[in-house]
Amino acid sequence: MAPYNDIVLFHYSFSPYAKRVIWYLALRGIEYAQCIQPPALPREDINALGVKYRRIPILSIGRDVYCDTRLILQKLEEKFPSGAIGASDPEQKAVQKLLETWTIDGGVFSRAAQAIPPEMPLLNDPKWVKDREDYMGRSWAKEDIAKGRPEALAHLREAFELLESTLLADGRQWILKTKQPTLADIEAIWPFHWLSTMEGALPPSLFGKDHFPNVYAWVDRFNTAVKVARSSAPKVTTLKGSEAIQHVTQAGLAEPDGEVDAQDPLVLKKGQDVESWPIDSGFNHRDRGQLVALTRQEVVLKTQAKVGHKDVHIHHPRTNFRIRAEVAPIACSFLGGSYLSPYLRTFRHAIHLAGKALGGAEYVHIITRNVGMIACMVFVMEQHRENIRWTKTGGVGVGLQEMGNKGAVGLRLGYAVPDSDDTVELTFVAAHLAPMEEALQRRNDDWKNIVRRLVFAPVTMKGTSKTTESQAAREESEPLLFKGSASNDQSPHGLYTPTSHLIVAGDLNYRTSNTKPFPGADAFLFPKLNTGSQDNGNFYSLLHRDQLSRERKAGRTCHGLTESPIHFPPTYKWSKKAQIMAEKEDKMTTWDWAKHRWPSWCDRILYLELPGWMKVEMPQLAIEVDKYGALPLMPTSDHQPVLLTMKIPLKGIPGPEAVGGGDDVRVNPSFGIDPQWRERRQSARRKEIAVGILAYLVLTWEGRSIVLALIIGTLLGWSVVQGLLV
């Protein structure tokens, strides 16, 4: 048997959560080793294992690292079944689970933490106070703790009374009426034990053996039972950090690779790069890795230890944890094809769920096109899918070496008007322009290059038959067309074309200043949420400085495009704190901006009005905007997404031949098409593939494995050759 069962518990002595695991191991007599950690970050031993999770304790069994005491206790029950102390029948399991939820998620421990006496010595340590604030997401200043104590104590009296008058009221020794303490006792007792042993936490006038005799007698019995169990349990081995790291990295994996639940609503795939983190506390620290397993109870990620570079599997529970797939890593974005398909499939699933939530509407994916890190997807409602007759796509990179880290991608489609020979042409463009306040001219140049080199060419149609999962990767970006004939015009066209509507959306990156904010001085000018004001914020003075509005008016960018009035706050750059709060709150209660960027409306949606010749012929027609606004902030981005809902006349735009196009931008765009557009895109595409392959080999687990195999193969081959030459 491996020394100390291959178990290493990383903790510090006064952690109430660690006590849950320590008590369990003692009551079970399970041999283990421990590695004592500092109570405040950094914790270099845990970081060396490649683990970002910041809460204590964590427990390793071999190279499997288990986070969160709920999962740790569950795993210990499973791996050491002989003599397990967990509930056995359904009713007892329900009581045990409800007690776990009550003490951890039901507010008992959070109120216990608020009852810490302001005189506690650790509150005089600024480093520890700052660490607690990062951990809990609230103030730990002495005055704030003193202010919150009365309410916390009131709630704790209620919790004590609940146990006193219900589960312990009949004089039972243990929660489940057993002869010895069980896991149910651990799930219930830990916050009460912690408070009863913390000097000054519970006022004697409100708490104590006179007030809650059954609870305090239960705590005393538990202390005795643990003391007796420790006397006969194997001695705990204490390891230095370097010893613990060496033991973990040299051990094997405790569990074989699991499976990813194909029915899970997150629609993740095995091997996908994901991140996982707790959402109740310690949420600033996220583990990232390759998805190894996903069940109803846990998620398992593969990462790599910084010492020894061995694979480590990190286990998180599903309860109160969030899992997110990385949105198209650079390698997958630049390589495209099947590498990008799992990420695009997630968006398709999200649209499907949104449609179901909106009265069961069903949306069909028509086509996707990406250029590097920019993608555009088109969906239509099921009842309209047969009206899509043809599509054209185009893409251009304006980033480094004209690659697609910045640029634009466009989709143009023909919608056949029912019971008519008319066709409405729609062009959708997603764009991402140069960043930074001072890069105004670069953004204008990016727009110029998009107009010159975003050229649309017809795409091949495919049928309407159902596709298999294996076909889906190949057909992810192919158009789904029905009953259709291709567009009569097979020649390439640029961004502007006389007969098409045009909608341009994306991170256009125009700012509200030409220079960065001055550190510590300009932040007071940032917009602040004013809940007492009808306009709900004082951002309009900043809006007057918007670069995009100024440059459009001067005719230097987004030529001919219209934007609906802005009545929403800046969409960028939200602070990390704001992103964290977006996880917890349905509605913002404060605006918290990053201090090193001016709050700006980087994310925009613009469109072309009907052309003048159409207004002359059909003055009753017009484009109607229903809503232009911002969606809720997402915890994975410092940008706030925007939306535009509009009604477009169900009438094709006629050509301008009869009345003349005049100076309309559709007919006379500000910049002509670059005759070398195709060659430049092909050259940039070769560079994207080269960068994608390099990123794949360096930044992904599969790529590193290939590199390692090549190195080993080369060395072995060289040794064979040397042997033959001797």
Side-chain angles (χ1 to χ4, degrees):
M1 180 180 291
Y4 27 86
N5 292 304
D6 257 351
I7 298 174
V8 180
L9 180 66
F10 296 80
H11 72 102
Y12 56 85
S13 60
F14 56 91
S15 164
Y17 278 100
K19 286 281 194 283
R20 288 161 47 84
V21 180
I22 293 171
W23 292 335
Y24 178 90
L25 292 166
L27 291 171
R28 292 290 313 279
I30 296 173
E31 185 180 4
Y32 70 99
Q34 65 180 359
C35 181
I36 303 301
Q37 298 298 297
L41 297 182
R43 299 189 180 110
E44 301 297 346
D45 304 331
I46 295 175
N47 289 339
L49 297 177
V51 179
K52 302 296 183 184
Y53 178 85
R54 66 139 299 158
R55 302 198 302 202
I56 287 294
I58 69 168
L59 181 138
S60 67
I61 305 179
R63 283 188 281 119
D64 284 88
V65 176
Y66 302 94
C67 305
D68 193 290
T69 56
R70 286 169 289 203
L71 183 62
I72 292 172
L73 294 173
Q74 173 192 325
K75 290 292 182 177
L76 289 171
E77 283 278 291
E78 294 173 358
K79 293 184 178 300
F80 298 90
S82 178
I85 59 174
S88 55
D89 65 60
E91 183 176 338
Q92 289 184 344
K93 288 180 179 179
V95 172
Q96 178 180 295
K97 187 65 179 179
L98 288 171
L99 288 170
E100 171 203 291
T101 304
W102 179 54
T103 55
I104 296 178
D105 303 319
V108 177
F109 178 71
S110 63
R111 294 299 186 180
Q114 292 171 347
I116 289 175
E119 302 79 22
M120 190 172 74
L122 275 173
L123 292 176
N124 296 319
D125 182 353
K127 180 181 177 182
W128 191 81
V129 169
K130 183 179 179 181
D131 180 81
R132 291 297 92 183
E133 291 176 340
D134 171 79
Y135 170 57
M136 299 291 287
R138 63 174 176 83
S139 171
W140 274 65
K142 284 185 177 183
E143 56 272 20
D144 292 325
I145 287 179
K147 191 184 300 182
R149 255 178 67 82
E151 183 178 341
L153 292 172
H155 283 275
L156 289 171
R157 286 181 74 194
E158 182 183 8
F160 270 82
E161 180 61 34
L162 179 63
L163 287 177
E164 183 74 20
S165 61
T166 57
L167 289 175
L168 299 175
D170 58 4
R172 69 183 69 183
Q173 296 290 296
W174 307 110
I175 292 293
L176 299 180
K177 297 183 178 181
T178 51
K179 295 180 180 180
Q180 298 295 329
T182 66
L183 182 54
D185 292 281
I186 295 175
E187 299 291 9
I189 204 168
W190 65 283
F192 302 95
H193 183 283
W194 184 56
L195 287 167
S196 64
T197 57
M198 186 189 307
E199 186 176 354
L202 301 176
S205 60
L206 300 175
F207 299 86
K209 295 182 179 181
D210 293 337
H211 299 276
F212 304 106
N214 293 330
V215 175
Y216 277 83
W218 174 51
V219 172
D220 288 342
R221 285 194 300 275
F222 188 82
N223 283 333
T224 301
V226 171
K227 185 177 181 180
V228 170
R230 280 176 175 159
S231 66
S232 58
K235 183 180 179 181
V236 178
T237 303
T238 299
L239 302 176
K240 297 178 181 178
S242 58
E243 295 172 331
I245 295 165
Q246 183 180 19
H247 177 82
V248 172
T249 56
Q250 291 184 356
L253 290 168
E255 297 186 25
D257 284 4
E259 296 299 324
V260 173
D261 182 3
Q263 304 302 315
D264 193 276
L266 294 181
V267 200
L268 299 174
K269 301 295 180 182
K270 192 166 186 174
Q272 198 169 348
D273 289 328
V274 300
E275 60 180 5
S276 174
W277 69 98
I279 59 174
D280 49 356
S281 62
F283 31 66
N284 287 333
H285 304 263
R286 303 181 178 189
D287 283 304
R288 293 178 173 85
Q290 196 175 64
L291 185 62
V292 173
L294 183 69
T295 69
R296 295 176 183 178
Q297 289 76 37
E298 69 174 327
V299 56
V300 186
L301 312 181
K302 179 169 72 174
T303 187
Q304 197 171 72
K306 295 179 180 179
V307 176
H309 305 291
K310 292 285 189 72
D311 287 346
V312 172
H313 286 188
I314 302 174
H315 299 246
H316 289 173
R318 297 295 296 270
T319 303
N320 281 342
F321 275 69
R322 182 153 289 148
I323 308 163
R324 286 284 185 271
E326 186 177 357
V327 180
I330 185 171
C332 299
S333 299
F334 277 8
L335 290 174
S338 61
Y339 292 95
L340 193 56
S341 293
Y343 303 96
L344 298 175
R345 203 173 295 126
T346 301
F347 285 95
R348 295 172 68 173
H349 183 69
I351 294 294
H352 173 70
L353 293 178
K356 289 179 65 177
L358 296 172
E362 186 172 350
Y363 284 85
V364 178
H365 172 240
I366 296 298
I367 188 170
T368 292
R369 170 74 192 271
N370 85 289
V371 170
M373 301 173 74
I374 306 148
C376 186
M377 307 180 77
V378 171
F379 297 81
V380 300
M381 294 185 72
E382 168 70 28
Q383 60 265 38
H384 299 301
R385 65 176 182 168
E386 293 191 359
N387 299 104
I388 306 300
R389 297 302 174 85
W390 54 262
T391 63
K392 298 181 180 182
T393 68
V396 58
V398 297
L400 180 65
Q401 296 289 307
E402 299 184 0
M403 289 188 290
N405 57 310
K406 296 290 186 289
V409 61
L411 302 175
R412 179 168 289 157
L413 55 89
Y415 178 86
V417 179
D419 303 319
S420 168
D421 293 331
D422 210 357
T423 299
V424 177
E425 295 183 28
L426 301 165
T427 301
F428 302 96
V429 174
H432 191 185
L433 308 186
M436 305 300 178
E437 283 86 350
E438 64 275 12
L440 174 60
Q441 187 56 50
R442 283 181 56 202
R443 284 186 279 280
N444 289 347
D445 291 341
D446 286 350
W447 175 256
K448 175 181 177 180
N449 290 326
I450 288 171
V451 175
R452 296 196 68 210
R453 301 203 296 272
L454 179 61
V455 179
F456 291 81
V459 294
T460 305
M461 295 186 299
K462 73 179 181 72
T464 64
S465 60
K466 301 279 186 181
T467 58
T468 65
E469 187 68 20
S470 61
Q471 290 171 313
R474 186 182 72 251
E475 300 177 348
E476 189 74 51
S477 61
E478 295 180 8
L480 180 61
L481 302 176
F482 303 87
K483 281 189 181 177
S485 59
S487 169
N488 291 328
D489 184 1
Q490 297 294 301
S491 59
H493 286 279
L495 178 70
Y496 297 102
T497 190
T499 56
S500 180
H501 295 281
L502 173 61
I503 300 170
V504 177
D507 180 7
L508 304 185
N509 252 324
Y510 284 94
R511 308 301 173 90
T512 54
S513 174
N514 291 347
T515 59
K516 296 177 183 178
F518 191 77
D522 287 330
F524 77 97
L525 297 173
F526 290 3
K528 299 176 180 61
L529 179 61
N530 182 1
T531 55
S533 172
Q534 189 173 4
D535 64 21
N536 213 24
N538 57 348
F539 57 76
Y540 288 104
S541 60
L542 196 62
L543 184 58
H544 292 311
R545 297 162 45 182
D546 175 53
Q547 291 177 342
L548 180 57
S549 300
R550 183 179 73 235
E551 297 299 297
R552 278 199 310 117
K553 186 175 181 180
R556 291 188 285 264
T557 191
C558 297
H559 305 86
L561 294 173
T562 296
E563 183 178 26
S564 289
I566 291 176
H567 297 297
F568 50 88
T571 62
Y572 175 88
K573 177 179 173 79
W574 293 99
S575 69
K576 191 67 177 176
K577 178 181 177 183
Q579 296 172 58
I580 292 169
M581 296 311 296
E583 301 236 43
K584 298 184 170 185
E585 300 176 352
D586 294 330
K587 186 176 181 180
M588 283 189 181
T589 57
T590 184
W591 292 344
D592 201 278
W593 310 100
K595 300 299 186 288
H596 62 292
R597 293 281 181 264
W598 278 101
S600 301
W601 288 264
C602 291
D603 309 278
R604 311 288 272 269
I605 306 176
L606 301 94
Y607 62 95
L608 277 182
E609 289 281 9
L610 297 179
W613 64 84
M614 189 174 184
K615 292 179 180 179
V616 170
E617 293 183 356
M618 292 165 272
Q620 76 279 11
L621 300 181
I623 292 175
E624 299 178 15
V625 173
D626 292 327
K627 184 176 182 180
Y628 184 39
L631 294 168
L633 180 65
M634 301 177 68
T636 53
S637 176
D638 53 11
H639 287 257
Q640 195 169 359
V642 293
L643 82 158
L644 175 71
T645 59
M646 61 195 307
K647 296 176 183 177
I648 294 175
L650 202 58
K651 179 68 179 176
I653 299 175
E657 295 83 6
V659 295
D663 60 354
D664 191 286
V665 70
R666 284 178 169 87
V667 179
N668 296 301
S670 300
F671 312 106
I673 292 178
D674 182 350
Q676 300 296 314
W677 68 270
R678 191 187 303 274
E679 291 77 7
R680 298 180 76 157
R681 175 87 285 264
Q682 290 172 347
S683 174
R685 180 64 187 137
R686 288 192 289 269
K687 296 172 186 175
E688 289 171 357
I689 293 174
V691 171
I693 292 172
L694 181 62
Y696 181 81
L697 294 175
V698 173
L699 300 178
T700 69
W701 300 110
E702 300 97 327
R704 291 171 185 166
S705 299
I706 292 172
V707 172
L708 181 61
L710 288 173
I711 292 173
I712 293 173
T714 301
L715 292 175
L716 288 174
W718 177 252
S719 65
V720 170
V721 171
Q722 291 285 71
L724 293 173
L725 295 176
V726 172

